[in-house]
């Protein structure tokens, strides 16, 4: 078994923490001895034990000479949990408490360094104790599963993903606003899997009024994300699902600073809904960059899926707020309709937002594009 094989398994078990560990990273760990996996562990929920300790506790065989393969640098700090480095070094202790280099875990393979300054230093600490450490195995994959955590812990802002289901000619709805359904079942299932992965799903008021969406991952197993509704004037009636169903306590309504102090805002708060006030731009729209800073810092939201509509998506694209874009392109043409970038107007080809392909595949009859912004170099 190569380090990469073991890391692939560690990445796989890390995903068991999906939807449960935020704002922490998803971390997986396997212990390898004599060429086979003897134990595995993962960070299962926020505040719970870390992947390394989980794997060490679950081991039913001797750890003598074993290699630990873990997707993230073992932490070296006291947070909600004690340092994983201590647990690793404990496997090397003689009965008198001194370290014996030949005992216990002999080698540690790390996918990526921990970007959290408070937790860093694990690699050096292990090396000082005589453990051989290899860093950077399947690093790109490890970074990808923790792209939300990495952005949030380094900038305080959530990682923002845009999502649209469009026709071949780029429309998200007919002229009359009919959009259910442009994409097929498999594309919708993938979109729901994204909902289960992010901390929050964001939509504008017009989308709530048109579709009365539930925004939960009903087509897959997963927990309900927080739901963010943009409502500058706080005019939405309380009868929409996001404001009155059993998950309303986890809904966040973003509105102007002024309306956030109004009696309408208090009525929402009495229902357990969070109301966040942000500045309004000269164009009369909520300043989403400010909203993202607030929800990242105050509500520990590490990721947001922007589901629409066209106004909100256009605004995010125009202001460079998307870190990733998922487009499900259905083999269908409308000729006229609501373009998913209706409110975007590029003045020239040079100034048009450009993207690079991260992945391109099929989702049933639809094409699934995952794009990353091409930031000016
Ligand atoms: C690890 N293994 O499985 C995870 C780590 O408050 P705590 O104690 O849970 O610490 C959270 C921080 O520890 C988190 O921000 C990240 O830097 C690291 N997460 N580290 O060694 C794990 N989940
Ligand atoms: Zn740890």
């Amino acid at each position: 078994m190569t380090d990469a094989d073991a890391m692939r398994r560690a990445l796989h078990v890390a995903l068991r923490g999906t939807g449960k560990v935020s704002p922490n990273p998803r971390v997986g760990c396997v212990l390898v001895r004599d060429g086979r996996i003897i134990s595995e562990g993962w960070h299962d929920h926020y505040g719970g034990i870390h992947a390394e300790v989980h794997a060490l506790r679950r081991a039913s065989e001797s750890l003598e000479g074993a290699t630990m393969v873990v997707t993230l640098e073992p932490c070296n700090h006291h947070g909600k949990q004690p340092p994983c480095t201590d647990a690793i070094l404990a496997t090397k202790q003689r009965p008198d408490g001194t370290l014996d280099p030949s005992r216990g875990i002999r080698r540690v393979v790390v996918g990526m360094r921990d970007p959290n300054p408070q937790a860093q230093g694990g690699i050096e600490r292990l090396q000082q104790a005589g453990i051989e450490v290899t860093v950077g195995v399947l690093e790109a994959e490890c970074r990808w599963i923790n792209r939300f955590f990495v952005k949030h812990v380094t900038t305080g802002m959530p990682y923002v993903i845009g999502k649209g289901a469009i026709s071949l000619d780029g429309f998200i709805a007919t002229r009359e606003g009919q959009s259910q359904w442009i994409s097929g079942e498999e594309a919708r299932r993938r979109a729901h899997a994204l909902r289960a992965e992010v901390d929050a799903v964001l939509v504008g008021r017009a989308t709530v009024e048109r579709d009365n969406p539930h925004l939960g991952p009903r087509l897959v197993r997963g927990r309900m994300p927080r739901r963010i509704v943009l409502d500058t004037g706080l005019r939405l009636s309380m009868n929409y699902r996001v404001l009155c169903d059993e998950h309303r306590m986890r809904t966040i309504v973003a509105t102007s600073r002024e309306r956030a102090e109004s009696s309408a805002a208090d009525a929402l708060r009495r229902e357990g809904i969070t109301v966040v006030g942000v500045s309004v731009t000269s164009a009369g729209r909520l300043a989403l960059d400010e909203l993202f800073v607030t929800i990242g810092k105050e509500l520990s939201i590490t990721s947001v899926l922007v589901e629409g509509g066209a106004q909100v998506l256009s605004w995010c694209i125009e202001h460079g707020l998307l870190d990733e874009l998922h487009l499900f392109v259905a083999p269908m043409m409308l000729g006229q309709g609501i373009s998913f970038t209706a409110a975007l107007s590029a003045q020239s080809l040079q100034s048009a937002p450009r993207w690079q392909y991260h992945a391109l595949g099929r989702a049933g009859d639809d094409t699934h594009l995952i794009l990353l912004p091409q930031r000016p170099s």
Side-chain angles (χ1 to χ4, degrees), residues 24-25 27 43 50-52 74-75 77 79-81 84 114 116 119 149:
N24 275 353
V27 184
H43 186 41
H50 287 182
E52 300 90 319
C75 69
H77 76 313
K80 296 219 177 305
Q81 291 290 326
C84 288
D114 192 336
N116 177 4
F149 167 74

Side-chain angles (χ1 to χ4, degrees), residues 3-4 8 22 26 54-55 72-73 132 155 177 186 202 207 235 245 257 262 269 281 303 307 328:
D3 288 350
R8 221 163 270 123
S22 177
R26 293 183 288 190
H54 194 208
L72 183 73
E73 173 181 11
E132 182 192 338
T155 68
E186 173 58 18
L202 181 149
T207 298
R235 292 205 299 267
D245 69 11
R257 288 182 180 281
S262 66
R269 290 190 180 103
T281 66
S303 52
E307 290 217 17
F328 296 98

